[in-house]
Amino acid sequence: MSVAVRFSPADFEPVTARRQLQVSSRPSLSYWQDSWRRLKGSRRTFASLCAVMALGAMAVAGPWVWSVDPAAQDIDQISQAPAWPSSALIVPPYTPWAAVTATPTQAGDVVTNLRLAEPASTQAVRLVWEPVVGAAGYVVYRSVYDTAPDRALGLPIGEVLGADQASFEDRLDLEPRRYWYSVVVTDENRAEQSAYAALTVDTVRTVSAGDAELRGWVEDATVLAPGDQIDLPYHPLGTDYLGRDMLARLLYGARVSLFIGVVAPLLFVLVGVVWGSAAGFLGGRVDQLLMRVADFVIALPFLLFMILFKIAFGIGPGESGVFPMLVALVLLGWPSTARLVRGQILQVRQEGYVAASQLLGARTGYLVFRHMIPQTMGVILVTLTFAVPSAIFTEAFLSFIGMGVAPPTPSWGSMANEGIRTMLSHPHELLFPALIISATVLAFNLLGDGLRDALDVRMRGRE
Amino acid sequence: MMVEQPPTYRDPMSRLAMRQLLWLGALSLVGFVALMGALAWASSITGGSAIAGRAIDVETGTITRALAQEPPQLDSTRATDQASIFILGHVMEGLLRYDASNRLVPGVAERWDIRPDGATFWLRDDARWSDGRPVTAHDFVFAWRTIVDPANAAEYAFILYYVKNGEAINRGELSPEALGATAVDDRTLEVEFERPVGFFDKLVAFAVYFPVREDFYRSRDGRYAADAEDLVYNGPFMMTRWVHGAHVRLEKNPLYWNRDAVRLNVIDMPYVTADTGAVVNLFKDGSIATATLGAEQLDDAMKLRWNLGRYSDGSVFYIDFNFRPERLTSNFHLRRALQLVNDSGELVNKVIGLPGYLPAVSLFPIWLNGVEGPFRQEYPPPVVIPDLELARTHLELAKQELGVAEIPPLVLLTGDAPIANKQAEYFQNLFDRALGLEIRIDKQIFKQRLDKMTSGDFDMVAAGWGPDFADPLTFGDLYASWNGNNRGKYNNPALDEQVRIAQNSLDPRTRMDAFGEIQRILIDDAVQLPNYERGLVYVEDPRLKGVVHRSVGTDPDYTTAYLVENP
């Protein structure tokens, strides 16, 4: 029995390969696109990236926007906390005041008729009184608290010797506020009587027309007459211990601090990456040689080299040492990065995909940049983010010992170092530079953290 | 082909991390507060009863205080620092001493006679060492010979150059036995002078002139005054305990000739620290009876309603110029221009702002005495009124004389203390604003600054001088051309002439006239810019009375102090 098999011509057509067995449901993303996607997606990282960019913008453009001279000393507003703008009354220039003497006519252990010789101002408070017979002298006290409850007279402002002395002029650090003055009589053994005469004084902020011109508040002093009001320069973040504008100093300080804090780590991490990957990749004798050089450099004392560079560059006392600082940081900072990167490269070199890639004919450059550097990116970024704050702190320390920025150039570190002395009485002088250093360091740390996640090839494609 | 939008990335990890962060933050805050609370509670238990009230014990006559620094040793022939001089002033006594009103009164010497060529001191017979042996003239002779002996290299040897042959012995030209001080007998000391010295009575009250007993000194075998038991005392107190770096205790000396006048029994110093913050906290706790305040503590002190006192510590601070010919500051007009914009009143009142400080107007501080009254009242210094126009005129003259279009940057050498820093930056801004001068600040530690001052590596230097004895000469000879402390090498024969008069004359009027003239030259020739006279603000337990604060000598002095139950 025969079976008839029927063929149709269609059966003899060649089979075509099905080109598309799979269709990707998502668009193909390059490494950088993927990284950017992850970076954008993490709000924390994105915020820190914005913060870092804002800091950069502040350093570049800030001093133009807030164009106050960071070195100008507003002697009348020293260590002022942030406050609303204030104004001052124009008064005639300060003239020395001859001490008032009077023949003592009254007996007793306390002066009478303690009064102001003229209206009290921040220029001077002039006190006069009726002296007493037999006094050896008078001690004048001033307090910012009421003296009445328990005879707490406050600061001993001054002492005049002689029974006939009947006046005292106080010019010490006067602010527009209420003061409680008291005058105590001393006997011949310089012992103070317990009784005292008291006077409450409210001072007004004043300035002379000449001083206003000298300080650049007005173009021409002759337009001002005594009794006029003049607006004082406004310091939104207050002033420091020499009356310099904190905001202007922070903005200028950003230039120095961020320059050192960003440029130095970038440079030395770059050097370290090249050095470390060369050592790790090439291996053998080259590795030995390169790493021994790194060991040698790590043993060099930073401060000594900083001083040597300063001398080598011919930088004398009182000149900025920022450039030698940069050179010293770069020349001495790279070995730690190099060590880490070398270790990582050695590890990655053993991986199967590297061998596969090599077998497929990848060139060295391709291997390093395609496989090894991305694998070490995490380590590099961690080093970088730790290097940024440490460089900012190094700058602060060096400025403090006089090796860094020269006064009056501000940097955040030197501002913090100066502010710490008055931490209790004027906390804002420490608070603002400390806050901005902390914020910068935090932003760089978070950014580094986020970048590590974003750039890590092992995280690729993950949420 | 259908393209799907990549799903929006919501980062659930970050939300979790944020929550964790908030939790941990809150937890650590609570933990911190709890820890602080626990510590405060613990300190209230221990401190409430045990520490409070230890500052003063009226019944036993004990006061407790802190010591800023420990003396390196207590050998009066080698003492240079304030701590040594403070303790020596209590445990030893010289020929003369200062009383509570800073007048010279008899010490070991009962009577004395000072002549142009020498002096005689008659010693009291009841002056005793703490081991019961009498204090004799030989003890003074031995001490003074030890100081000038070059083998001992005493830093203060120059202060004995007034005694005959003192300088020659110190240079190694004569043997120490040639010193012009001889013990005629146990109770008569005869001194020959190198040159007339009108203030020898003030010198012998200084710690370096204190006696040292030869047999005891030798018996210690090089350990003299290194410990409490390595010293024999002749002062109002004696040291009974010295734990190095930790504790010094002084007790009343029962053999002191004037023991009835000493009313305190014990001065206990169980804290050795220079940190004013720590010392003020000890005072707050009631652990110590007195504390010196820094600028940071003033507000706090007012708030706590403490009774504060102030006194001048005697030193004067100023800016010195470099007069070496290659330096621009050797030009008079340049110095004059700087002098005419300098306002020490503004510096002290606005920038420094410490109540103890006085604006300086002269090298000679306000507390020095002249012929009868205060020196500065008898010889008022010429007044320099800041004048910007005149200053700029002088600056132009200076530029012409120096032949420069612009003055190159000047170096201002300064110390590393906060106040020095503030002052230097103030001057930097002042000279720039007023005269357009660029000032470079060279900040150095004390030793380094001294080296640079000596080698002349500066244009201007912020310097200061503390008095060694209460005579204007301690300041007056600073700018003599031969003085080693004249770091700027100022050389003015007219001034040298006045210094010689002041050194060699015995007549107070002639001497004070000479100092008045020196003061005038210093200001008229703009030799230095006076900045401030330093003062200190302190707080004392109100039950402690009669403590003497001095510009020169033992400071503070508890010899006359006493305690009261209810102030």
Side-chain angles (χ1 to χ4, degrees), chain A residues 145-159:
Chain A
Y145 300 99
D146 190 358
T147 51
D150 54 354
R151 197 191 180 274
L153 303 183
L155 301 179
I157 286 292
E159 188 175 7

mmCIF file with all atom_site columns, all heavy atoms in Angstrom, chain A residues 145-159:
data_model
loop_
_atom_site.group_PDB
_atom_site.id
_atom_site.type_symbol
_atom_site.label_atom_id
_atom_site.label_alt_id
_atom_site.label_comp_id
_atom_site.label_asym_id
_atom_site.label_entity_id
_atom_site.label_seq_id
_atom_site.pdbx_PDB_ins_code
_atom_site.Cartn_x
_atom_site.Cartn_y
_atom_site.Cartn_z
_atom_site.occupancy
_atom_site.B_iso_or_equiv
_atom_site.pdbx_formal_charge
_atom_site.auth_seq_id
_atom_site.auth_comp_id
_atom_site.auth_asym_id
_atom_site.auth_atom_id
_atom_site.pdbx_PDB_model_num
ATOM 1   N N   . TYR A 1 145 ? 22.801 94.649  84.086 1.00 0.00 ? 145 TYR A N   1
ATOM 2   C CA  . TYR A 1 145 ? 21.661 94.171  84.869 1.00 0.00 ? 145 TYR A CA  1
ATOM 3   C C   . TYR A 1 145 ? 21.399 95.171  85.989 1.00 0.00 ? 145 TYR A C   1
ATOM 4   O O   . TYR A 1 145 ? 22.277 95.919  86.387 1.00 0.00 ? 145 TYR A O   1
ATOM 5   C CB  . TYR A 1 145 ? 21.937 92.791  85.460 1.00 0.00 ? 145 TYR A CB  1
ATOM 6   C CG  . TYR A 1 145 ? 22.209 91.759  84.413 1.00 0.00 ? 145 TYR A CG  1
ATOM 7   C CD1 . TYR A 1 145 ? 23.509 91.392  84.089 1.00 0.00 ? 145 TYR A CD1 1
ATOM 8   C CD2 . TYR A 1 145 ? 21.151 91.170  83.710 1.00 0.00 ? 145 TYR A CD2 1
ATOM 9   C CE1 . TYR A 1 145 ? 23.758 90.444  83.105 1.00 0.00 ? 145 TYR A CE1 1
ATOM 10  C CE2 . TYR A 1 145 ? 21.397 90.230  82.725 1.00 0.00 ? 145 TYR A CE2 1
ATOM 11  C CZ  . TYR A 1 145 ? 22.697 89.872  82.431 1.00 0.00 ? 145 TYR A CZ  1
ATOM 12  O OH  . TYR A 1 145 ? 22.937 88.952  81.456 1.00 0.00 ? 145 TYR A OH  1
ATOM 13  N N   . ASP A 1 146 ? 20.184 95.127  86.507 1.00 0.00 ? 146 ASP A N   1
ATOM 14  C CA  . ASP A 1 146 ? 19.822 96.038  87.589 1.00 0.00 ? 146 ASP A CA  1
ATOM 15  C C   . ASP A 1 146 ? 20.687 95.735  88.818 1.00 0.00 ? 146 ASP A C   1
ATOM 16  O O   . ASP A 1 146 ? 20.802 94.595  89.243 1.00 0.00 ? 146 ASP A O   1
ATOM 17  C CB  . ASP A 1 146 ? 18.340 95.848  87.910 1.00 0.00 ? 146 ASP A CB  1
ATOM 18  C CG  . ASP A 1 146 ? 17.841 96.932  88.846 1.00 0.00 ? 146 ASP A CG  1
ATOM 19  O OD1 . ASP A 1 146 ? 18.657 97.772  89.257 1.00 0.00 ? 146 ASP A OD1 1
ATOM 20  O OD2 . ASP A 1 146 ? 16.637 96.925  89.155 1.00 0.00 ? 146 ASP A OD2 1
ATOM 21  N N   . THR A 1 147 ? 21.308 96.766  89.367 1.00 0.00 ? 147 THR A N   1
ATOM 22  C CA  . THR A 1 147 ? 22.213 96.551  90.494 1.00 0.00 ? 147 THR A CA  1
ATOM 23  C C   . THR A 1 147 ? 21.480 96.505  91.825 1.00 0.00 ? 147 THR A C   1
ATOM 24  O O   . THR A 1 147 ? 22.033 96.058  92.816 1.00 0.00 ? 147 THR A O   1
ATOM 25  C CB  . THR A 1 147 ? 23.255 97.680  90.568 1.00 0.00 ? 147 THR A CB  1
ATOM 26  O OG1 . THR A 1 147 ? 22.558 98.919  90.520 1.00 0.00 ? 147 THR A OG1 1
ATOM 27  C CG2 . THR A 1 147 ? 24.233 97.600  89.431 1.00 0.00 ? 147 THR A CG2 1
ATOM 28  N N   . ALA A 1 148 ? 20.247 97.009  91.836 1.00 0.00 ? 148 ALA A N   1
ATOM 29  C CA  . ALA A 1 148 ? 19.584 97.268  93.115 1.00 0.00 ? 148 ALA A CA  1
ATOM 30  C C   . ALA A 1 148 ? 19.407 96.052  94.017 1.00 0.00 ? 148 ALA A C   1
ATOM 31  O O   . ALA A 1 148 ? 19.739 96.127  95.196 1.00 0.00 ? 148 ALA A O   1
ATOM 32  C CB  . ALA A 1 148 ? 18.244 97.940  92.870 1.00 0.00 ? 148 ALA A CB  1
ATOM 33  N N   . PRO A 1 149 ? 18.912 94.897  93.508 1.00 0.00 ? 149 PRO A N   1
ATOM 34  C CA  . PRO A 1 149 ? 18.508 93.869  94.481 1.00 0.00 ? 149 PRO A CA  1
ATOM 35  C C   . PRO A 1 149 ? 19.603 93.479  95.480 1.00 0.00 ? 149 PRO A C   1
ATOM 36  O O   . PRO A 1 149 ? 19.330 93.385  96.674 1.00 0.00 ? 149 PRO A O   1
ATOM 37  C CB  . PRO A 1 149 ? 18.127 92.687  93.600 1.00 0.00 ? 149 PRO A CB  1
ATOM 38  C CG  . PRO A 1 149 ? 17.808 93.277  92.276 1.00 0.00 ? 149 PRO A CG  1
ATOM 39  C CD  . PRO A 1 149 ? 18.669 94.489  92.136 1.00 0.00 ? 149 PRO A CD  1
ATOM 40  N N   . ASP A 1 150 ? 20.833 93.240  95.020 1.00 0.00 ? 150 ASP A N   1
ATOM 41  C CA  . ASP A 1 150 ? 21.821 92.717  95.962 1.00 0.00 ? 150 ASP A CA  1
ATOM 42  C C   . ASP A 1 150 ? 23.203 93.327  95.770 1.00 0.00 ? 150 ASP A C   1
ATOM 43  O O   . ASP A 1 150 ? 24.206 92.664  95.988 1.00 0.00 ? 150 ASP A O   1
ATOM 44  C CB  . ASP A 1 150 ? 21.898 91.193  95.846 1.00 0.00 ? 150 ASP A CB  1
ATOM 45  C CG  . ASP A 1 150 ? 22.153 90.762  94.414 1.00 0.00 ? 150 ASP A CG  1
ATOM 46  O OD1 . ASP A 1 150 ? 22.150 91.644  93.539 1.00 0.00 ? 150 ASP A OD1 1
ATOM 47  O OD2 . ASP A 1 150 ? 22.349 89.563  94.169 1.00 0.00 ? 150 ASP A OD2 1
ATOM 48  N N   . ARG A 1 151 ? 23.256 94.583  95.361 1.00 0.00 ? 151 ARG A N   1
ATOM 49  C CA  . ARG A 1 151 ? 24.523 95.287  95.211 1.00 0.00 ? 151 ARG A CA  1
ATOM 50  C C   . ARG A 1 151 ? 25.498 94.525  94.317 1.00 0.00 ? 151 ARG A C   1
ATOM 51  O O   . ARG A 1 151 ? 26.666 94.370  94.628 1.00 0.00 ? 151 ARG A O   1
ATOM 52  C CB  . ARG A 1 151 ? 25.168 95.546  96.578 1.00 0.00 ? 151 ARG A CB  1
ATOM 53  C CG  . ARG A 1 151 ? 26.258 96.623  96.530 1.00 0.00 ? 151 ARG A CG  1
ATOM 54  C CD  . ARG A 1 151 ? 27.055 96.685  97.818 1.00 0.00 ? 151 ARG A CD  1
ATOM 55  N NE  . ARG A 1 151 ? 28.087 97.703  97.746 1.00 0.00 ? 151 ARG A NE  1
ATOM 56  C CZ  . ARG A 1 151 ? 29.291 97.488  97.236 1.00 0.00 ? 151 ARG A CZ  1
ATOM 57  N NH1 . ARG A 1 151 ? 29.599 96.320  96.751 1.00 0.00 ? 151 ARG A NH1 1
ATOM 58  N NH2 . ARG A 1 151 ? 30.175 98.478  97.189 1.00 0.00 ? 151 ARG A NH2 1
ATOM 59  N N   . ALA A 1 152 ? 25.010 94.021  93.202 1.00 0.00 ? 152 ALA A N   1
ATOM 60  C CA  . ALA A 1 152 ? 25.914 93.431  92.220 1.00 0.00 ? 152 ALA A CA  1
ATOM 61  C C   . ALA A 1 152 ? 26.205 94.524  91.211 1.00 0.00 ? 152 ALA A C   1
ATOM 62  O O   . ALA A 1 152 ? 25.399 94.838  90.354 1.00 0.00 ? 152 ALA A O   1
ATOM 63  C CB  . ALA A 1 152 ? 25.254 92.235  91.552 1.00 0.00 ? 152 ALA A CB  1
ATOM 64  N N   . LEU A 1 153 ? 27.373 95.152  91.366 1.00 0.00 ? 153 LEU A N   1
ATOM 65  C CA  . LEU A 1 153 ? 27.621 96.380  90.607 1.00 0.00 ? 153 LEU A CA  1
ATOM 66  C C   . LEU A 1 153 ? 28.130 96.121  89.195 1.00 0.00 ? 153 LEU A C   1
ATOM 67  O O   . LEU A 1 153 ? 28.178 97.023  88.383 1.00 0.00 ? 153 LEU A O   1
ATOM 68  C CB  . LEU A 1 153 ? 28.618 97.263  91.366 1.00 0.00 ? 153 LEU A CB  1
ATOM 69  C CG  . LEU A 1 153 ? 28.190 97.635  92.790 1.00 0.00 ? 153 LEU A CG  1
ATOM 70  C CD1 . LEU A 1 153 ? 29.210 98.561  93.423 1.00 0.00 ? 153 LEU A CD1 1
ATOM 71  C CD2 . LEU A 1 153 ? 26.829 98.302  92.807 1.00 0.00 ? 153 LEU A CD2 1
ATOM 72  N N   . GLY A 1 154 ? 28.522 94.905  88.916 1.00 0.00 ? 154 GLY A N   1
ATOM 73  C CA  . GLY A 1 154 ? 28.951 94.598  87.548 1.00 0.00 ? 154 GLY A CA  1
ATOM 74  C C   . GLY A 1 154 ? 30.422 94.833  87.326 1.00 0.00 ? 154 GLY A C   1
ATOM 75  O O   . GLY A 1 154 ? 31.243 94.605  88.217 1.00 0.00 ? 154 GLY A O   1
ATOM 76  N N   . LEU A 1 155 ? 30.772 95.312  86.135 1.00 0.00 ? 155 LEU A N   1
ATOM 77  C CA  . LEU A 1 155 ? 32.177 95.451  85.760 1.00 0.00 ? 155 LEU A CA  1
ATOM 78  C C   . LEU A 1 155 ? 32.804 96.689  86.376 1.00 0.00 ? 155 LEU A C   1
ATOM 79  O O   . LEU A 1 155 ? 32.240 97.767  86.290 1.00 0.00 ? 155 LEU A O   1
ATOM 80  C CB  . LEU A 1 155 ? 32.306 95.574  84.247 1.00 0.00 ? 155 LEU A CB  1
ATOM 81  C CG  . LEU A 1 155 ? 31.775 94.442  83.404 1.00 0.00 ? 155 LEU A CG  1
ATOM 82  C CD1 . LEU A 1 155 ? 31.988 94.768  81.941 1.00 0.00 ? 155 LEU A CD1 1
ATOM 83  C CD2 . LEU A 1 155 ? 32.470 93.149  83.765 1.00 0.00 ? 155 LEU A CD2 1
ATOM 84  N N   . PRO A 1 156 ? 33.985 96.557  86.978 1.00 0.00 ? 156 PRO A N   1
ATOM 85  C CA  . PRO A 1 156 ? 34.698 97.742  87.428 1.00 0.00 ? 156 PRO A CA  1
ATOM 86  C C   . PRO A 1 156 ? 35.299 98.437  86.202 1.00 0.00 ? 156 PRO A C   1
ATOM 87  O O   . PRO A 1 156 ? 36.265 97.976  85.634 1.00 0.00 ? 156 PRO A O   1
ATOM 88  C CB  . PRO A 1 156 ? 35.788 97.184  88.344 1.00 0.00 ? 156 PRO A CB  1
ATOM 89  C CG  . PRO A 1 156 ? 35.909 95.757  87.982 1.00 0.00 ? 156 PRO A CG  1
ATOM 90  C CD  . PRO A 1 156 ? 34.707 95.329  87.226 1.00 0.00 ? 156 PRO A CD  1
ATOM 91  N N   . ILE A 1 157 ? 34.677 99.541  85.805 1.00 0.00 ? 157 ILE A N   1
ATOM 92  C CA  . ILE A 1 157 ? 35.042 100.191 84.552 1.00 0.00 ? 157 ILE A CA  1
ATOM 93  C C   . ILE A 1 157 ? 36.274 101.072 84.718 1.00 0.00 ? 157 ILE A C   1
ATOM 94  O O   . ILE A 1 157 ? 37.096 101.203 83.833 1.00 0.00 ? 157 ILE A O   1
ATOM 95  C CB  . ILE A 1 157 ? 33.840 101.030 84.058 1.00 0.00 ? 157 ILE A CB  1
ATOM 96  C CG1 . ILE A 1 157 ? 32.780 100.096 83.507 1.00 0.00 ? 157 ILE A CG1 1
ATOM 97  C CG2 . ILE A 1 157 ? 34.228 102.058 83.032 1.00 0.00 ? 157 ILE A CG2 1
ATOM 98  C CD1 . ILE A 1 157 ? 33.183 99.405  82.243 1.00 0.00 ? 157 ILE A CD1 1
ATOM 99  N N   . GLY A 1 158 ? 36.394 101.675 85.859 1.00 0.00 ? 158 GLY A N   1
ATOM 100 C CA  . GLY A 1 158 ? 37.545 102.558 86.029 1.00 0.00 ? 158 GLY A CA  1
ATOM 101 C C   . GLY A 1 158 ? 37.637 103.089 87.434 1.00 0.00 ? 158 GLY A C   1
ATOM 102 O O   . GLY A 1 158 ? 36.757 102.894 88.275 1.00 0.00 ? 158 GLY A O   1
ATOM 103 N N   . GLU A 1 159 ? 38.763 103.760 87.685 1.00 0.00 ? 159 GLU A N   1
ATOM 104 C CA  . GLU A 1 159 ? 39.021 104.268 89.023 1.00 0.00 ? 159 GLU A CA  1
ATOM 105 C C   . GLU A 1 159 ? 39.646 105.643 88.864 1.00 0.00 ? 159 GLU A C   1
ATOM 106 O O   . GLU A 1 159 ? 40.497 105.843 87.994 1.00 0.00 ? 159 GLU A O   1
ATOM 107 C CB  . GLU A 1 159 ? 40.001 103.317 89.720 1.00 0.00 ? 159 GLU A CB  1
ATOM 108 C CG  . GLU A 1 159 ? 40.214 103.623 91.175 1.00 0.00 ? 159 GLU A CG  1
ATOM 109 C CD  . GLU A 1 159 ? 41.094 102.583 91.852 1.00 0.00 ? 159 GLU A CD  1
ATOM 110 O OE1 . GLU A 1 159 ? 41.638 101.712 91.142 1.00 0.00 ? 159 GLU A OE1 1
ATOM 111 O OE2 . GLU A 1 159 ? 41.246 102.666 93.077 1.00 0.00 ? 159 GLU A OE2 1
#
